[in-house]
Amino acid sequence: MSSDQPIPTYYPYNPSHVLPIVFAVLIGGSLAPHIWQNFRYHYWRVTFFMFWGGLVYMTGWILRCLSSYHPGNKNLYLAQTVFVLAGPPIYSAAEYNILGRLMRYVPMHAAINPTRIVIFFVYVGAAVEGLTVAGAARMGAAGENQALLKSGAVLVAIGTTMQAAVELVFVAMIAQLHYRCVKSNMNIRNVRNVCIMLYGTSTLVLLRCIFRGIEKFATADIVKTGTCGALCRTVILKEWYLYVFEAAPMVVYTYWLNFIHPAMFLPRKSTYYLGKDLVIRNGPGWVDGRASWVTFFDPCDIRGTADKFWLRPDEWPVVSTGDVEPKSHSNA
C-alpha cells in the first residue's frame, strides 16, 4: 500500500489516543471506591449497578483507546461503541434502587409501592439498554449499508429519548416525595441530601441523553439526505462534544455517588423507617397483601389496601433519633 493512501477508518475525525484512557482511569478511580463502599456498608443490593455500570463504561473507554490506534478495525470500533453506550443506562438503574430505598425510609410519603417502582424502572431501563445496544451493533456493522446505518441510529435515538423520558418521570417522583417530606416537617438532612443527589445525577443523565439523541437523529438525517448539515458538522465531526456531553457528565455522576453515598444517609435494612416524630424504627417493611398481578396494574394502590404500619409506631422498636447518619446503625 502506498504511503499516501488514506488509512481506513470508521471515525469521521482523527480519534484521540489520550482522552479515552484519561476517562477510563477516571471511571476506574471511582469504581474502586464503589466496590469498597459496597463491602463497607453491605449495600450491594442497592448500589450494585454502580459497580456493574462502572465496569462496562471503563471497558468501553479502554476499547476506544485501542480502537483509536486501529480506526479501520471493525470489531474494535463496534465493541467500543456498544460498551460506551451501554454504561450510562446501567448507572441509571442505581438511581432507581436508591429512590426505592428512600421510599421505604419514608413510606407514608411513597406514591407507589417501592418494590414496584424498582421493578418498573429497571425493566424499562433494560428495554432502553436493549435498544441502545442493538442500535449500536447495527451502526457498527453497517459498513456501506445505509439502511442498516439509519435503522441503528434511529434505535439508539429512540433508546436515549426513552431514557430521557424515564428520567423526567423519575425526577417528578423525587419531587413529589420531597415535597411531601417538606410539608410534613420530615425534610431532615438524610432525606434532603439524598433528594439533592438524585436531582443532580438525573440532570446529568438527561444532559447525556439529549446529546446522544441529537447525535443519532443527525446521523439518521445524513443517511436520509446524503449531506452533512450544520448539526452534523457540530455534533458528529467534532470529537470533543463526545467527551463534554457524554463522558464528563457520567464521570461527575459516579463520583457524586462516591462522595454522597446513599449508605451514609439511608439504612441498609429496608425495614428501618423514619416516623413522623423523626424517630427511626424497625417496622415490618412494606407489606402489600394483594396479588402480584394486582400490584402490577395498580402500583399506586388507589384503594389504599397496603398496611399503614407507620400509623402504629408503638408496635415497632426504636432504632435511633432521626437526624443521624444511618451508617451508625446500618449493621444492626
Side-chain angles (χ1 to χ4, degrees), residues 12-65:
Y13 41 68
N14 292 323
S16 171
H17 302 313
V18 176
L19 286 176
I21 205 65
V22 167
F23 279 96
V25 170
L26 287 172
I27 293 295
S30 174
L31 174 60
H34 274 301
I35 294 173
W36 177 84
Q37 286 172 319
N38 279 332
F39 279 115
R40 165 67 179 83
Y41 299 122
H42 304 279
Y43 228 63
W44 282 102
R45 292 188 64 181
V46 180
T47 53
F48 165 79
F49 290 110
M50 293 307 298
F51 158 73
W52 181 239
L55 189 62
V56 169
Y57 208 44
M58 181 178 67
T59 301
W61 293 112
I62 292 172
L63 290 171
R64 186 175 177 90
C65 180

Side-chain angles (χ1 to χ4, degrees), residues 199-267:
Y199 288 139
T201 53
S202 294
T203 300
L204 293 169
V205 172
L206 276 172
L207 177 64
R208 180 258 176 190
C209 288
I210 291 169
F211 163 69
R212 281 299 191 178
I214 292 172
E215 179 192 49
K216 298 313 174 188
F217 279 120
T219 301
D221 189 59
I222 295 172
V223 176
K224 180 180 179 181
T225 64
T227 59
C228 184
L231 184 61
C232 162
R233 290 192 297 271
T234 300
V235 300
I236 295 180
L237 300 185
K238 296 178 181 177
E239 187 181 19
W240 67 268
Y241 272 82
L242 175 71
Y243 294 101
V244 171
F245 295 107
E246 160 74 38
M250 292 299 99
V251 166
V252 175
Y253 178 111
T254 184
Y255 276 96
W256 199 333
L257 263 76
N258 283 133
F259 292 111
I260 309 294
H261 195 278
M264 299 170 63
F265 304 99
L266 298 175

Side-chain angles (χ1 to χ4, degrees), residues 249-307:
M250 292 299 99
V251 166
V252 175
Y253 178 111
T254 184
Y255 276 96
W256 199 333
L257 263 76
N258 283 133
F259 292 111
I260 309 294
H261 195 278
M264 299 170 63
F265 304 99
L266 298 175
R268 177 173 63 89
K269 281 191 173 184
S270 62
T271 55
Y272 285 5
Y273 78 97
L274 181 69
K276 291 187 176 182
D277 55 358
L278 302 186
V279 171
I280 299 175
R281 293 180 171 85
N282 187 6
W286 191 275
V287 179
D288 193 331
R290 299 175 299 165
S292 296
W293 69 270
V294 176
T295 62
F296 181 83
F297 286 104
D298 179 23
C300 295
D301 190 18
I302 295 174
R303 294 191 299 170
T305 58
D307 178 25

